[in-house]
C-alpha cells in the first residue's frame, strides 16, 4: 500500500518520477506527490486523487526542473485522502515519502509538539519528517540512524535533505524497497516493475539498511552505519509484461495470460512425468513425514488454499487447515514442529501473511511459500520457497496469480499423495499429464468470453447476488463472489449450496440473481436440486458448468459451459468465466476495473 520512488541521474527527474509512479499506482491511488531538487531547493508538488490529478496540477504550477527527487502514490491509512495528507511530508530542510505505518506516531507527535513543532496533516508520516528535522545535525546517515531507533512500525522511506541535492536516502523495515542500478542513474522503488524500462539490475534492501543513492554511486549501510556489500539482482520480468499490450484493461490481459502463466509455472517442476520440488528441498521423505498441513493466506490467495485443502485431503488423506492470515495470527494455532505451513501470496508482502509466517516459524513448523514476486519478504523469510511464474500482476483484482497458485497446490497434492503412498506412481503421472493439458484447455475456456459478457449485461443492475456450489465448486464460488464485489461494487455472497436452506434462502427473490457453479460430477445432482429451489423462489439463475452437465432448460436462465477435464482439476477452468463475468459487469457499470475504489494491490498494513 503506497508506492514510493526516487531518482538520481541526468534525466528530467519529474518525468522519471511520474513515469515510475504510474507503474506503482496499483499500490494506491488516493493521492500522489513528488519532491524535486530545483536550484538546490526542495520543491514539492502534490495532489489528492490519482496521478493524473498531480499531472494536471503540475501543468498549472509549472514543472519542477531537476535531476533528483522522490515520489509517492498513496493508499490512505492515517488521515483521509486530501492535498494536505498527501506525501511528500516535511519542510524546506527535509522531505520524505513513506510506505507503511508508524505505530508510535502519537507519542512522537506529542514529543515534537513539546519541542515547538506544529503539525498540519493527520498522517503518521509527518511525525517521521519532523523527527528527522529535529535530529538533523548536518549528517544524514547519523540522523536517519537515530530516527530509526525511535520509530516503531513498518516503513519504506525515501528521504531528501536540502543540504545534499543529488542524493536520495532510503531505508526500510517490513515494507518493500529496491534500489535500481542504472548507468549513470540510480533509482529507488517499492517494486522492481516500476523501473524496468530504465534498468533490470537492482539491490534488495534488507531490514533497517540505509541506502545513500546518487547518480553514479549507491552506498548501503547497516543500522550501525557500517558499509554493507550488496549482491546485484537481475529482474526476469520484461518491460512488456507490465504494459497493457492492446487490452482495454490489465485485468483482461491478465485473464488471457493464464494459459502461459500456468505453463510457465508447472513445466519446470515436472521431471519424467512426476512433480519435482527439488528446487526447494522438499523431498518425498520430508513431505511424507509431516503430520498436518496448514495453509495461510488472504483474499484470493486464501481461496487458492481452499482449493488446495479439498484436493490434498481427498488425494493425500492428510488433514489440512486453511486460515485467513488475519485470523491465524491471533488465534494461537495448534501447530507443532511436525507440521508444514504453506503461505500463499502473489506480492509476498502481505502484512498478515508475513506475520503468520513468522509465528509458524516460532512454533517450529516448516514453512513453504508459494510467492509470485521474486525477492519479496515472504519469499525470503520462508524455509522453502517456490515461485509462481505469473509475471507481474498489475490489476488490483487478482486473476492469473490465482490460477498459478492453484496449479502449485495441485502439484503439491499429487506429490504428497504419492509420497504418502495414497496413489501409485502411474496415477500421480496421470494427474500430472492432465495438469499439463490445462493451458490448452484454458485457451478453449476463454472462448466463453461473449457468453460471460451477455451474462454480465443481465446481472449488472442487481443490488445483490448469491454464488453457490459444493466442495471445490464452493471454493470457486467464493472466488467468483470476491471478484464480482471488488470491481463491480455489487454486493454478493458465496454459500455452500447445501447450507442455503438453513437461513440464507430467505433472501432469494426475483431481484437476487444466483450464480451456481457445477463441475463436480459426484455431487452435481445435489447442487442441481438447490438450483431448482432458488429458481422456484423467483431467482434468475446463471449456471457455470462442465459441458456435459445435463439440466432442464426451465431450471436455469443463462448457462456458461466449459470444457470437461478430470473433476479434481475443474477449478483451473471454472475460475475463468467467474473472472470474465466480474470483469464485464464492472466494465458495463463504468467502473475503474484495474483500480477499484478503496483498494490497493499490496496490503502491507494489518
Ligand atoms: C483479490 C485480491 C486480494 C489478494 C490478497 C492477498 O482480487 O487480489 O484478495 O489476493 O490481498 O494478496 P497477496 O496474494 O499479494 O498476499
Amino acid at each position: 500500500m503506497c508506492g514510493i520512488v526516487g531518482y538520481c541521474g541526468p534525466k528530467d527527474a519529474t518525468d522519471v518520477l511520474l513515469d515510475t509512479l504510474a507503474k506503482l499506482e496499483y499500490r494506491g491511488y488516493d493521492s500522489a506527490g513528488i519532491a524535486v531538487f530545483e536550484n538546490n531547493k526542495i520543491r514539492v508538488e502534490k495532489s489528492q486523487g490519482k496521478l493524473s490529478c498531480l499531472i494536471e496540477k503540475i501543468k498549472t504550477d509549472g514543472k519542477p526542473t531537476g535531476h533528483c527527487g522522490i515520489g509517492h502514490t498513496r493508499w490512505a491509512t492515517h488521515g483521509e485522502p486530501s492535498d494536505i495528507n498527501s506525501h511528500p511530508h516535511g519542510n524546506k530542510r527535509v522531505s520524505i515519502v513513506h510506505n507503511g505505518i508508524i505505530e508510535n506516531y502519537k507519542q512522537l507527535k506529542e514529543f515534537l509538539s513539546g519541542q515547538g513543532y506544529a503539525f498540519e496533516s493527520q498522517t503518521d508520516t509527518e511525525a517521521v519528517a519532523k523527527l528527522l528535522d529535529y535530529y538533523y545535525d548536518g549528517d544524514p546517515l547519523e540522523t536517519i540512524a537515530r530516527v530509526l531507533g525511535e520509530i516503531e512500525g513498518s516503513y519504506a522511506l525515501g528521504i531528501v535533505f536540502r543540504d545534499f541535492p543529488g542524493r536520495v536516502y532510503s531505508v526500510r523495515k517490513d515494507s518493500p524497497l529496491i534500489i535500481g542500478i542504472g548507468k549513470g542513474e540510480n533509482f529507488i522503488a517499492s517494486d522492481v516493475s516500476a523501473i524496468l524500462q530504465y534498468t533490470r539490475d537492482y539491490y534488495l534492501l534488507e531490514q533497517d539498511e540505509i541506502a545513500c543513492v546518487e547518480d553514479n554511486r549507491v552506498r548501503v549501510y547497516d543500522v550501525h552505519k557500517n558499509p554493507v556489500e550488496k549482491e546485484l539482482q537481475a529482474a526476469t520480468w520484461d518491460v512488456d509484461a507490465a504494459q497493457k499490450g492492446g487490452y482495454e484493461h490489465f485485468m483482461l490481459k491478465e485473464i488471457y495470460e493464464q494459459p502461459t502463466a500456468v505453463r510457465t509455472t508447472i513445466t519446470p517442476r515436472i521431471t519424467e512425468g512426476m512433480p519435482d520440488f527439488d528446487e526447494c528441498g522438499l523431498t518425498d521423505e520430508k513431505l511424507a513425514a509431516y503430520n498436518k498441513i496448514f495453509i495461510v493466506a488472504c483474499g484470493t490467495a486464501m481461496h487458492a488454499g481452499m482449493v488446495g485443502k479439498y484436493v490434498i485431503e481427498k488425494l493425500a488423506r492428510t488433514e489440512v487447515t486453511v486460515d485467513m492470515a488475519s485470523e491465524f495470527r491471533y488465534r494461537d494455532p495448534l501447530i507443532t514442529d511436525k507440521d508444514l505451513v504453506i503461505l500463499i501470496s502473489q506480492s509476498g508482502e502481505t502484512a498478515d501473511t508475513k506475520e503468520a509466517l513468522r509465528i509458524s516459524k516460532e512454533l517450529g513448523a516448516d514453512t513453504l511459500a508459494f510467492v509470485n514476486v521474486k525477492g519479496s519478504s515472504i519469499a525470503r523469510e520462508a524455509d522453502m520457497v517456490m515461485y509462481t511464474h505469473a509475471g507481474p500482476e498489475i490489476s488490483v483484482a487478482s486473476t492469473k496469480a490465482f490460477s498459478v497458485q492453484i496449479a502449485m497446490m495441485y502439484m503439491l497434492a499429487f506429490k504428497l499423495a504419492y509420497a504418502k503412498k495414497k496413489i501409485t506412481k502411474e496415477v500421480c503421472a496421470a494427474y500430472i499429464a492432465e495438469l499439463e493439458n490445462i493451458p490448452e484447455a484454458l485457451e478453449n475456456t476463454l472462448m466463453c468470453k461473449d457468453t460471460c459478457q451477455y451474462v454480465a449485461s443481465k446481472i449488472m443492475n442487481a443490488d445483490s447476488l448469491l454464488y453457490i456450489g459444493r466442495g471445490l465448486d464452493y471454493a470457486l464460488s467464493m472466488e467468483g463472489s470476491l471478484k464480482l464485489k471488488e470491481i463491480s461494487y455489487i454486493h454478493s455472497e458465496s454459500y455452500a449450496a447445501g447450507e442455503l436452506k438453513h437461513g440464507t434462502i430467505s433472501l432469494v427473490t426475483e431481484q437476487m440473481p444466483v450464480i451456481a457453479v457445477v463441475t463436480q460430477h459426484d455431487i452435481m445432482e445435489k447442487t442441481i436440486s438447490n438450483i431448482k429451489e432458488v429458481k422456484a423462489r423467483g431467482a434468475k439463475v446463471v449456471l457455470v458448468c462442465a459441458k456435459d452437465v445435463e439440466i432442464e432448460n426451465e431450471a436455469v436462465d443463462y448457462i456458461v459451459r466449459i470444457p470437461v477435464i478430470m473433476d479434481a482439476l475443474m477449478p483451473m477452468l471454472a475460475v475463468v468465466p467467474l473472472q470474465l463475468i466480474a470483469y464485464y459487469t464492472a466494465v458495463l457499470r463504468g467502473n475503474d476495473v484495474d483500480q477499484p475504489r478503496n483498494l490497493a494491490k499490496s496490503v502491507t498494513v494489518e
Side-chain angles (χ1 to χ4, degrees):
M1 335 216 69
C2 299
I4 70 172
V5 294
Y7 177 71
C8 306
K11 299 193 175 85
D12 182 292
T14 300
D15 287 348
V16 176
L17 293 172
L18 294 175
D19 182 39
T20 47
L21 279 178
K23 310 287 184 317
L24 292 185
E25 242 194 327
Y26 73 86
R27 300 179 70 88
Y29 29 86
D30 289 332
S31 66
I34 57 170
V36 172
F37 282 106
E38 190 178 58
N39 302 323
N40 291 337
K41 289 195 184 119
I42 301 170
R43 179 169 157 202
V44 172
E45 287 287 332
K46 52 187 184 178
S47 166
Q48 182 187 341
K50 292 191 167 204
L51 192 59
S52 52
C53 302
L54 174 65
I55 293 170
E56 283 311 308
K57 182 160 190 293
I58 287 175
K59 274 188 197 150
T60 315
D61 296 354
K63 183 169 145 188
T65 47
H67 299 283
C68 175
I70 50 179
H72 188 266
T73 177
R74 178 169 187 245
W75 187 83
T77 56
H78 294 65
E80 63 190 6
S82 68
D83 287 352
I84 216 81
N85 287 332
S86 309
H87 300 213
H89 288 284
N91 55 21
K92 288 185 176 145
R93 206 151 71 134
V94 56
S95 186
I96 72 169
V97 288
H98 169 218
N99 169 30
I101 287 187
I102 304 302
E103 284 160 7
N104 60 337
Y105 78 102
K106 283 195 185 134
Q107 294 93 305
L108 296 175
K109 265 183 154 177
E110 219 172 274
F111 165 74
L112 289 160
S113 301
Q115 305 302 315
Y117 282 93
F119 286 82
E120 54 184 24
S121 79
Q122 299 152 298
T123 65
D124 51 338
T125 305
E126 196 182 355
V128 182
K130 298 264 178 343
L131 197 62
L132 281 162
D133 186 71
Y134 175 72
Y135 281 129
Y136 182 65
D137 59 358
D139 179 348
L141 200 57
E142 174 63 34
T143 307
I144 294 170
R146 193 136 187 211
V147 166
L148 291 188
E150 300 208 2
I151 56 176
E152 287 163 22
S154 60
Y155 44 81
L157 295 167
I159 310 166
V160 287
F161 294 90
R162 183 191 53 198
D163 295 347
F164 294 87
R167 277 190 198 177
V168 170
Y169 284 87
S170 192
V171 62
R172 79 160 199 107
K173 180 177 156 259
D174 290 337
S175 290
L177 198 82
I178 59 107
I179 314 288
I181 308 297
K183 289 196 172 55
E185 59 180 0
N186 295 308
F187 307 78
I188 67 165
S190 300
D191 173 342
V192 73
S193 63
I195 55 156
L196 281 180
Q197 73 270 42
Y198 303 103
T199 180
R200 301 181 153 279
D201 296 334
Y202 66 98
Y203 295 146
L204 287 165
L205 211 58
E206 298 295 340
Q207 297 281 72
D208 278 337
E209 281 181 349
I210 307 168
C212 171
V213 179
E214 294 168 88
D215 55 2
N216 53 11
R217 65 173 172 170
V218 170
R219 289 167 287 169
V220 179
Y221 305 90
D222 67 17
V223 76
H224 308 295
K225 298 184 289 166
N226 302 311
V228 177
E229 277 296 316
K230 298 300 292 180
E231 195 184 324
L232 202 62
Q233 315 279 327
T236 46
W237 293 349
D238 65 27
V239 186
D240 291 348
Q243 314 284 335
K244 277 193 204 152
Y247 286 89
E248 201 184 333
H249 297 102
F250 278 111
M251 182 175 175
L252 190 60
K253 176 185 176 233
E254 288 161 8
I255 290 172
Y256 272 80
E257 283 173 345
Q258 293 181 109
T260 308
V262 170
R263 189 178 292 113
T264 317
T265 298
I266 63 171
T267 308
R269 277 81 190 235
I270 299 172
T271 305
E272 293 174 6
M274 293 292 280
D276 181 347
F277 282 22
D278 276 2
E279 67 185 85
C280 71
L282 198 51
T283 58
D284 287 351
E285 296 66 42
K286 207 167 161 182
L287 255 183
Y290 290 123
N291 186 12
K292 281 189 282 176
I293 294 183
F294 290 80
I295 303 177
V296 190
C298 300
T300 288
M302 197 272 292
H303 297 152
M306 284 184 66
V307 172
K309 173 185 166 74
Y310 280 107
V311 185
I312 294 171
E313 289 193 340
K314 190 144 202 155
L315 297 181
R317 310 308 295 157
T318 301
E319 197 181 323
V320 181
T321 305
V322 182
D323 271 277
M324 295 170 205
S326 54
E327 289 294 311
F328 177 93
R329 61 185 290 182
Y330 295 114
R331 80 167 173 83
D332 204 0
L334 289 168
I335 290 182
T336 72
D337 57 5
K338 298 193 173 45
D339 300 328
L340 173 68
V341 180
I342 303 173
L343 295 308
I344 310 178
S345 178
Q346 188 287 127
S347 62
E349 298 294 347
T350 302
D352 286 323
T353 312
K354 207 154 63 174
E355 189 54 28
L357 164 64
R358 288 178 188 160
I359 291 168
S360 307
K361 285 177 82 168
E362 270 165 34
L363 293 171
D366 273 0
T367 53
L368 166 66
F370 291 154
V371 172
N372 198 44
V373 177
K374 200 179 149 201
S376 53
S377 304
I378 293 171
R380 282 189 282 165
E381 287 177 34
D383 300 316
M384 298 169 277
V385 61
M386 293 192 76
Y387 286 108
T388 52
H389 299 307
E393 191 178 63
I394 311 288
S395 166
V396 165
S398 186
T399 53
K400 61 177 178 173
F402 176 80
S403 291
V404 294
Q405 285 160 356
I406 60 174
M408 287 307 298
M409 292 309 319
Y410 282 115
M411 302 272 294
L412 181 82
F414 303 154
K415 190 169 174 62
L416 183 66
Y418 176 63
K420 293 236 182 208
K421 301 198 178 3
K422 303 293 178 195
I423 57 172
T424 62
K425 191 171 181 183
E426 290 67 35
V427 172
C428 186
Y431 277 123
I432 288 290
E434 185 77 330
L435 194 59
E436 286 183 290
N437 291 331
I438 293 292
E440 197 186 326
L442 275 169
E443 301 281 3
N444 294 331
T445 308
L446 284 162
M447 289 175 192
C448 69
K449 165 183 164 288
D450 291 344
T451 318
C452 293
Q453 197 167 9
Y454 178 67
V455 168
S457 72
K458 298 294 172 191
I459 63 166
M460 63 176 282
N461 293 317
D463 290 327
S464 186
L465 278 97
L466 268 184
Y467 282 73
I468 59 169
R470 286 171 183 256
L472 281 168
D473 292 334
Y474 171 52
L476 259 274
S477 75
M478 292 196 63
E479 176 55 10
S481 168
L482 175 64
K483 218 79 310 170
L484 184 82
K485 63 188 143 202
E486 69 177 322
I487 58 171
S488 75
Y489 314 147
I490 299 177
H491 169 258
S492 76
E493 260 189 83
S494 160
Y495 248 78
E499 186 66 11
L500 274 184
K501 285 197 273 295
H502 301 285
T504 308
I505 201 163
S506 69
L507 292 173
V508 174
T509 65
E510 289 113 61
Q511 313 309 326
M512 182 181 257
V514 174
I515 300 191
V517 185
V518 179
T519 69
Q520 302 299 300
H521 290 79
D522 56 342
I523 42 172
M524 184 163 79
E525 288 309 329
K526 303 281 176 200
T527 315
I528 290 177
S529 297
N530 301 130
I531 292 173
K532 289 178 181 165
E533 287 158 9
V534 293
K535 187 75 194 142
R537 284 152 183 88
K540 288 260 178 297
V541 174
V542 178
L543 176 63
V544 172
C545 67
K547 259 198 180 111
D548 60 354
V549 168
E550 286 172 20
I551 186 161
E552 299 90 315
N553 285 343
E554 19 343 320
V556 294
D557 296 273
Y558 314 104
I559 302 194
V560 187
R561 291 193 179 272
I562 57 174
V564 183
I565 52 167
M566 242 178 219
D567 272 15
L569 286 163
M570 283 303 284
M572 295 257 14
L573 307 187
V575 73
V576 172
L578 300 175
Q579 295 165 342
L580 286 168
I581 290 170
Y583 171 76
Y584 284 114
T585 307
V587 171
L588 290 171
R589 286 169 68 97
N591 293 356
D592 188 340
V593 174
D594 286 333
Q595 296 177 342
R597 71 180 176 213
N598 304 342
L599 289 171
K601 180 115 191 109
S602 180
V603 186
T604 54
V605 294
E606 217 185 312

